[in-house]
Amino acid sequence: MPARIYREKDADIKVLKGKTFAVIGFGSQGHAHALNLKDSGMNVIIGLYAKSKSRAVAKKLGFKVMDTADAVKAADVVFIAAPDTAIGDIYTKDIEPHLTKGKTLGFSHGFAVHYGTVVPPEDVNVIMVAPKGPGHIVRRQFLEGKGVPSLIAVHQNPGRDAKKI
């Protein structure tokens, strides 16, 4: 099957209005996704562990920063942008216990799901939005009114709206 190329006209940002996004992690990808969502008018909170040095950076940029578990509880869409080596522990401790039916769990790449360090519950959407570039490029292109090629995937779709999200 040939690749399907989507453009901005193929997406409806209204689908995201009224949702709360929790970006878990505020490194290369996390900060870019969070800032781009915020600048697009979305309600974005940042989930970090208590002693993360990124807490001050995120607060300075105007984000509400919460402990990861509290951010997951408050969010409709939970986007994990943490290092691969940390995702399994973060998921087990702070994300999995607070994923409830109807939420969407997102990733910036598919390793955690593919290799089984994350096994999501069956009643949440599971998606991937994986830009083909580091966060600073994703952010710069957004600020220039452009974008970077990205891969999207839907792993689970119980809400029947995963691809739209």
Side-chain angles (χ1 to χ4, degrees):
M1 171 191 261
R4 168 87 163 91
I5 297 175
Y6 295 97
R7 306 236 182 252
E8 188 172 353
K9 67 178 175 50
D10 297 311
D12 181 4
I13 199 164
K14 289 182 282 209
V15 171
L16 307 178
K17 295 288 185 186
K19 295 192 183 306
T20 297
F21 292 80
V23 175
I24 310 303
F26 204 70
S28 177
Q29 290 296 328
H31 90 279
H33 287 278
L35 286 166
N36 293 354
L37 284 164
K38 180 181 172 202
D39 287 353
S40 297
M42 301 302 123
N43 179 32
V44 182
I45 54 179
I46 306 300
L48 295 167
Y49 63 94
K51 295 185 180 186
S52 171
K53 294 176 185 175
S54 296
R55 288 177 90 99
V57 176
K59 284 180 184 177
K60 187 175 179 181
L61 290 169
F63 289 101
K64 180 177 183 179
V65 179
M66 305 171 82
D67 289 343
T68 301
D70 293 329
V72 173
K73 289 177 197 174
D76 301 297
V77 179
V78 178
F79 187 77
I80 302 174
D84 287 319
T85 55
I87 289 175
D89 289 338
I90 294 168
Y91 179 79
T92 301
K93 179 180 176 238
D94 292 320
I95 298 173
E96 184 177 33
H98 309 293
L99 282 177
T100 54
K101 182 178 181 177
K103 291 188 186 254
T104 296
L105 181 62
F107 296 88
S108 58
H109 49 73
F111 294 119
V113 172
H114 179 77
Y115 291 107
T117 58
V118 168
V119 180
E122 293 180 5
D123 58 357
V124 300
N125 290 338
V126 181
I127 62 173
M128 179 185 73
V129 179
K132 301 308 292 172
H136 67 279
I137 301 292
V138 171
R139 180 66 177 154
R140 185 172 73 220
Q141 291 294 300
F142 176 87
L143 291 172
E144 293 176 6
K146 302 174 185 174
V148 297
S150 300
L151 302 173
I152 65 168
V154 174
H155 179 70
Q156 291 181 184
N157 188 22
R160 303 289 177 237
D161 58 354
K163 186 176 174 188
K164 289 178 183 179
I165 292 170

